[in-house]
Amino acid sequence: MKIKMILPALTEAKSPYWRPIKYSLFPPLGLATLAAYCSPDDEIDLQDEHVQELNIDDNPQLVVIQVYITNAYRSYALADHYRKNGAYVCLGGLHVSSLPEEAMAHADTIFIGPGEDIFPQFLDDLRKKDPKKVYINSKRNIDDIPPIRRDLIKRNLYLVPNSIVVSRGCPHHCDFCYKDAFFERGKSFYTQRVDAALKEIDRLPGRHLYFLDDHLLGNYKFASALFEGMKGMNRVFQGASTIDAILRGDLIEKAADAGLRSVFVGFETLSSSNLSQSNKKQNLGRNYEDAIQRLHALGIMINGSFVFGLDDDDTNVFKKTVDWAVENALTTCTYHILTPYPGTRLFQTMEKDNRLLHRNWDLYDTRHVVYKTKALSAAELKRGYDWAYHSFYTWSNIWKGSWQHDKLKHVIKHFTYAGGWKKFEPLWNFMIKTRGLNKMLPLLESILSEVDSQRHSAQRSPFPAIA
């Protein structure tokens, strides 16, 4: 069977905020995972519209499209095109799980929830000429998934081709998070077997890894065994964690010993009231500065995530947040305008309170205001968001943040990473256009490498990391 798998470009690709490098980081791992269930005789073409121009003049028998909220309309247009030309079209992903009735109008089959159990069932039914209109995930187990079809990934088009996911979901339930709609009908957090995860890591060339898991440290037993198994592999890796997991137990030290050099942390807000309103319980009562000091003591860089537009935010929130991030030496920051994604409790609440301005999914990109604000006007929120991004990444603030470290090597590391990420856009664009992006990976590995083998251990809590 001739199969085409597509990750359509997000609407942001046509936005003035579009950064080609940001969407040339990771290959479409979800589609490559599903491809592993296909027959060895199937001819599979996996295309990522962020890094290549789609060829839509082909004639596949089966088309599988991964749908996010801001590529939904593009996904539907592609689906309609291929259905018109006689292909059997399937849609799946976060947006489909959140709004199945909307997606169903553009597909022969839709997938709701993770695809590890339903996609192979669909393939079996299709070959029997009896496919269902809707497949709903019920099995939450990734013990026996086949190896990802990494041979379908065009590695040279990505800065970080060695992306990997060893768990699904997250143990927490924040009101604004998309995750709960996707994992609604069962366990919302589960992991691979440790030996299977280590085997997948062993397949990957080079040193660098990027764990795309929502919460790499979410299960102490699993993560502890994973990091123990990775010691001696000479890897450097990046991943995501919560404040709570960083402060509890010794798991973050184990991660650092295994090669963790950069971590994404959802600080979200400096307001405890906003945390409570968002059901961000894992951050409540936690000392952000203690977590930051612990990470810095281990030589781990921090990418902090923040949300603007929560109901207690006022016009002071932007400068306060940026100043705090600079003073605490966060290496990079990701800012968002609060966005009520369909399927979330935030969306349900705002819909009930008549606060949604529209349902133009193209604008649900965390860069636009799509709801009725409270303490801030929509214009103030948008202007403050733009200012925060610009201000944090000025050379003066990059320099000031770098000098918060107490060792010169870490100063240089911070300055190089933050400056390189945001201040050399023409170079990134040139490397992308000349298809030489992957040649920059050794530089990334060098920056991430440990600079102080005699680091001081951070204070350890006697409590286990339950995340």
Side-chain angles (χ1 to χ4, degrees):
M1 182 163 49
K2 192 174 182 180
I3 302 173
K4 184 165 188 172
M5 294 184 159
I6 307 173
L7 178 61
L10 303 178
T11 302
E12 295 94 298
K14 297 178 174 62
S15 160
Y17 295 99
W18 176 256
R19 300 186 67 221
I21 180 57
K22 186 175 179 181
Y23 296 91
S24 300
L25 294 177
F26 314 114
L29 206 59
L31 292 174
T33 300
L34 294 184
Y37 293 100
C38 297
S39 166
D41 297 328
D42 290 330
E43 180 185 336
I44 304 173
D45 181 17
L46 194 161
Q47 292 198 8
D48 177 358
E49 195 176 15
H50 299 100
V51 298
Q52 62 189 125
E53 186 174 345
L54 288 187
N55 171 26
I56 59 172
D57 295 326
D58 51 353
N59 292 289
Q61 296 162 278
L62 172 64
V63 176
V64 181
I65 301 175
Q66 186 170 6
V67 188
Y68 295 109
I69 190 165
T70 56
N71 75 6
Y73 298 138
R74 174 64 173 155
S75 297
Y76 298 157
L78 289 169
D80 293 344
H81 165 80
Y82 277 110
R83 291 181 82 193
K84 184 179 178 180
N85 288 351
Y88 194 99
V89 175
C90 300
L91 298 178
L94 290 168
H95 192 68
V96 174
S97 296
S98 299
L99 294 173
E101 291 184 3
E102 177 186 288
M104 203 176 296
H106 304 275
D108 297 295
T109 287
I110 63 170
F111 304 126
I112 298 177
E116 286 88 5
D117 65 332
I118 53 180
F119 190 65
Q121 181 60 56
F122 159 75
L123 290 174
D124 188 51
D125 292 343
L126 183 66
R127 290 188 173 100
K128 294 175 181 176
K129 302 187 185 304
D130 187 28
K132 299 180 179 65
K133 183 73 174 174
V134 181
Y135 288 82
I136 301 175
N137 168 267
S138 59
K139 179 184 175 184
R140 299 289 161 86
N141 188 314
I142 51 174
D143 283 351
D144 300 315
I145 60 173
I148 297 168
R149 285 291 305 273
R150 295 187 182 272
D151 58 300
L152 299 174
I153 293 171
K154 302 168 182 67
R155 290 180 59 88
N156 65 305
L157 300 182
Y158 300 95
L159 177 63
V160 186
N162 284 357
S163 56
I164 184 171
V165 179
V166 295
S167 65
R168 300 288 186 272
C170 175
H172 303 295
H173 304 277
C174 306
D175 284 0
F176 49 70
C177 183
Y178 229 153
K179 179 263 307 177
D180 277 358
F182 195 63
F183 293 95
E184 185 178 5
R185 298 163 183 84
K187 290 188 295 185
S188 61
F189 183 62
Y190 49 104
T191 69
Q192 274 189 294
R193 294 193 319 270
V194 173
D195 62 333
L198 291 172
K199 189 173 181 180
E200 181 66 19
I201 291 170
D202 226 16
R203 294 176 62 208
L204 299 172
R207 295 187 64 205
H208 182 263
L209 303 173
Y210 202 114
F211 287 91
L212 293 173
D213 303 69
D214 293 321
H215 189 357
L216 184 59
L217 277 63
N219 180 305
Y220 180 86
K221 183 178 179 181
F222 169 81
S224 180
L226 177 71
F227 299 145
E228 186 63 32
M230 289 180 65
K231 286 172 65 175
M233 284 187 171
N234 194 30
R235 296 286 192 174
V236 290
F237 64 92
Q238 298 170 266
S241 178
T242 62
I243 292 290
D244 188 54
I246 291 165
L247 288 172
R248 287 179 180 267
D250 61 353
L251 195 54
I252 193 65
E253 283 79 15
K254 291 184 177 183
D257 288 342
L260 179 64
R261 299 291 174 261
S262 170
V263 65
F264 177 94
V265 180
F267 296 99
E268 315 307 3
T269 175
L270 304 180
S271 162
S272 58
S273 175
N274 278 334
L275 289 174
S276 296
Q277 291 176 32
S278 305
N279 198 39
K280 189 84 178 180
K281 296 177 181 178
Q282 65 271 28
N283 281 25
L284 276 169
R286 304 297 188 269
N287 189 306
Y288 286 4
E289 286 82 1
D290 285 351
I292 290 168
Q293 289 170 15
R294 192 170 192 176
L295 292 170
H296 285 163
L298 294 166
I300 298 172
M301 296 188 294
I302 304 167
N303 175 18
S305 176
F306 297 90
V307 176
F308 294 130
L310 293 158
D311 284 350
D312 275 5
D313 284 346
D314 58 24
T315 54
N316 297 317
V317 68
F318 310 106
K319 187 175 190 308
K320 180 181 178 181
T321 303
V322 169
D323 288 350
W324 182 88
V326 172
E327 289 164 5
N328 283 280
L330 302 194
T331 317
T332 56
C333 278
T334 305
Y335 298 113
H336 312 271
I337 291 174
L338 182 67
T339 303
Y341 293 125
T344 63
R345 282 190 295 275
L346 177 64
F347 185 92
Q348 294 165 3
T349 300
M350 287 198 170
E351 185 175 46
K352 179 182 176 183
D353 295 341
N354 195 32
R355 293 182 64 185
L356 298 177
L357 296 176
H358 55 73
R359 296 188 181 216
N360 180 357
W361 307 135
D362 282 353
L363 300 180
Y364 278 61
D365 59 1
T366 79
R367 296 176 175 88
H368 293 85
V369 183
V370 298
Y371 66 99
K372 297 175 185 176
T373 55
K374 287 195 172 180
L376 291 162
S377 70
E380 287 171 334
L381 176 52
K382 174 63 172 154
R383 187 164 56 247
Y385 161 82
D386 291 341
W387 176 88
Y389 252 125
H390 172 77
S391 177
F392 181 81
Y393 286 106
T394 59
W395 279 118
S396 60
N397 271 339
I398 291 174
W399 184 251
K400 183 178 178 181
S402 300
W403 277 102
Q404 303 303 314
H405 298 282
D406 58 2
K407 294 184 179 179
L408 182 59
K409 289 182 178 179
H410 288 111
V411 171
I412 296 171
K413 185 174 182 177
H414 179 127
F415 187 82
T416 304
Y417 191 92
W421 174 238
K422 287 292 282 190
K423 307 303 277 188
F424 292 93
E425 209 70 31
L427 173 61
W428 290 121
N429 293 344
F430 174 78
M431 298 305 294
I432 290 168
K433 288 177 181 178
T434 58
R435 303 209 162 194
L437 188 60
N438 197 233
K439 295 176 183 177
M440 302 292 284
L441 185 55
L443 176 61
L444 175 62
E445 291 176 348
S446 176
I447 294 172
L448 289 173
S449 294
E450 189 172 25
V451 298
D452 185 3
S453 60
Q454 302 297 320
R455 64 168 185 259
H456 300 291
S457 293
Q459 180 74 25
R460 299 190 180 190
S461 164
F463 301 105
I466 59 174

